[in-house]
Amino acid sequence: MALQVSNLPEILSAGTQVVVEKTLRGAAGEPICPQGAVGVVVGEPDTADGLYRVRFPNAYEADLARGDFDVRKHYQRRSLGDLAGLNDGVDWRRHIIYRCVIGSRAYGLDTDDSDTDRRGIFLPPARLHWSLAGVPEQIEDHPRQECFWELEKFLTLALKANPNVLEVLHSDLVEHCAPIAGELCAMRGAFLSRLVYQTYNGYVLSQFKKMRHDLDTRGEVRWKHAMHLIRLLWSGKELVRTGQMVVRIHDGAMVERLLAIKRGEWTFEAVEQWRQRLHREFDDALARTPLPELPDIRRADAFLIRARHRMTETEEIAR
């Protein structure tokens, strides 16, 4: 088992528990401490390549190089690293229950050079959840521009009003929807709440702060990103105002204004003014919103339990 020390501090402090990677022997070659013995650092070196003084439970002390031992918690983590391999070879895509197109094509903002971004949900069978290895929270295929969330992770993000996840539930471009995913889509309104105001506003504010920094330091603006931020803010404002989420923009004039930003035909100051106006409209919408204070957490939890229960009986729910 190869020792990995790249993420450790240069010099370990006294009191750190360590595990020796070799048998320690006395002057006559007799074994004193076996490989895997636990000791405590009692003396630190002056330099990273110096020797550590390590004391063991049998009162034996030895001067050891950094490569002779590992920090105990890292040793255990490394030793159990094979847990992840228990699910090697699992085709997670086989358990996708929902897939849709999002991004520019879903918003009605696509051009000839637009990518096709797909997002969705996967629901593994119970035996994979019960495994010590567990299941990944999401699977990604960057060349295909795809990302799929495990159901529990997806529901948690949706309850927090994550914009990307909410748009997945409301996209008009659905390519695959298993029956259990159809049940989820039928209750998608349960995830809409006034938390939208916080998540949408907060994300746009943080991203525009970064964009301003990029403009001031490098003189550059990612106009496509600016377009999507304005679209997101407008979408969130409309959601809070009406209580209904619409992903695709049907207003031709709005589409053209957004695409003009993408083409770099607006100044940053003009985009900033539109952003500020949308924030004010967002505030006004919140005062009269029909949305509930919080999402329906109990309904989401009941759905997850129901879906999990079904996966104890079959592995073909996504088919």
Side-chain angles (χ1 to χ4, degrees):
M1 189 179 295
L3 178 64
Q4 300 176 357
V5 299
S6 58
N7 293 325
L8 298 177
E10 282 194 1
I11 299 179
L12 301 174
S13 60
T16 303
Q17 291 190 4
V18 300
V19 178
V20 290
E21 299 277 1
K22 64 180 183 178
T23 298
L24 302 182
R25 300 182 182 276
E30 74 281 11
I32 299 179
C33 293
Q35 179 180 350
V38 176
V40 178
V41 173
V42 294
E44 308 166 21
D46 294 328
T47 61
D49 58 354
L51 297 178
Y52 288 83
R53 189 71 173 176
V54 180
R55 180 182 298 145
F56 295 88
N58 60 5
Y60 176 73
E61 294 188 6
D63 293 319
L64 302 175
R66 184 62 186 84
D68 294 332
F69 60 84
D70 196 3
V71 175
R72 183 173 64 84
K73 64 179 180 180
H74 294 118
Y75 178 89
Q76 291 179 327
R77 185 186 306 140
R78 180 162 52 91
S79 299
L80 296 177
D82 290 341
L83 286 178
L86 293 174
N87 282 340
D88 281 353
V90 173
D91 182 4
W92 299 106
R93 296 179 64 88
R94 179 171 171 248
H95 306 295
I96 292 172
I97 61 172
Y98 182 83
R99 182 180 65 250
C100 70
V101 174
I102 58 121
S104 295
R105 296 193 183 281
Y107 308 145
L109 296 171
D110 53 302
T111 56
D112 291 341
D113 60 347
S114 294
D115 296 325
T116 300
D117 300 310
R118 292 180 171 86
R119 300 291 183 268
I121 310 165
F122 70 103
L123 176 59
R127 63 176 181 81
L128 295 177
H129 276 283
W130 294 337
S131 165
L132 286 171
V135 301
E137 290 190 334
Q138 67 184 55
I139 53 176
E140 298 183 64
D141 187 331
H142 294 292
R144 293 184 181 183
Q145 301 289 322
E146 294 181 346
C147 177
F148 300 91
W149 291 276
E150 195 278 324
L151 179 60
E152 181 178 352
K153 179 66 173 181
F154 183 89
L155 295 177
T156 301
L157 292 173
L159 289 169
K160 294 178 179 179
N162 178 285
N164 292 328
V165 168
L166 292 181
E167 288 174 357
V168 165
L169 283 177
H170 292 80
S171 173
D172 296 327
L173 305 179
V174 177
E175 297 180 336
H176 172 63
C177 185
I180 189 66
E183 294 180 27
L184 176 60
C185 289
M187 56 175 278
R188 60 191 181 185
F191 299 96
L192 301 180
S193 73
R194 297 180 192 181
L195 292 180
V196 165
Y197 175 82
Q198 300 169 7
T199 55
Y200 282 55
N201 268 302
Y203 181 72
V204 171
L205 284 171
S206 66
Q207 291 300 304
F208 260 87
K209 182 178 180 180
K210 294 178 182 178
M211 198 172 297
R212 169 62 74 177
H213 177 75
D214 290 342
L215 181 63
D216 292 342
T217 57
R218 298 200 297 267
E220 297 178 356
V221 172
R222 291 187 296 151
W223 293 111
K224 179 180 178 180
H225 188 45
M227 175 194 73
H228 281 303
L229 289 173
I230 293 295
R231 181 212 62 83
L232 180 67
L233 193 58
W234 176 85
S235 174
K237 181 260 297 185
E238 289 299 294
L239 169 55
V240 169
R241 183 179 69 84
T242 66
Q244 301 294 319
M245 183 166 192
V246 178
V247 174
R248 189 170 190 85
I249 301 174
H250 298 283
D251 184 335
M254 171 70 74
V255 169
E256 180 52 36
R257 292 177 74 192
L258 290 169
L259 290 177
I261 294 177
K262 180 182 179 181
R263 294 191 296 264
E265 297 173 3
W266 285 49
T267 64
F268 184 79
E269 287 70 22
V271 176
E272 177 74 356
Q273 289 175 8
W274 191 3
R275 176 186 70 83
Q276 293 174 356
R277 185 166 65 253
L278 286 172
H279 279 303
R280 292 192 294 270
E281 293 173 0
F282 218 149
D283 292 343
D284 293 339
L286 181 65
R288 297 183 295 274
T289 183
L291 291 176
E293 191 73 29
L294 296 171
D296 194 337
I297 300 174
R298 292 186 180 278
R299 190 176 178 189
D301 185 57
F303 171 78
L304 177 62
I305 293 172
R306 188 165 65 251
R308 288 269 193 269
H309 180 72
R310 292 189 193 181
M311 295 313 293
T312 65
E313 303 167 349
T314 181
E315 295 195 4
E316 298 298 329
I317 196 168
R319 295 299 177 184

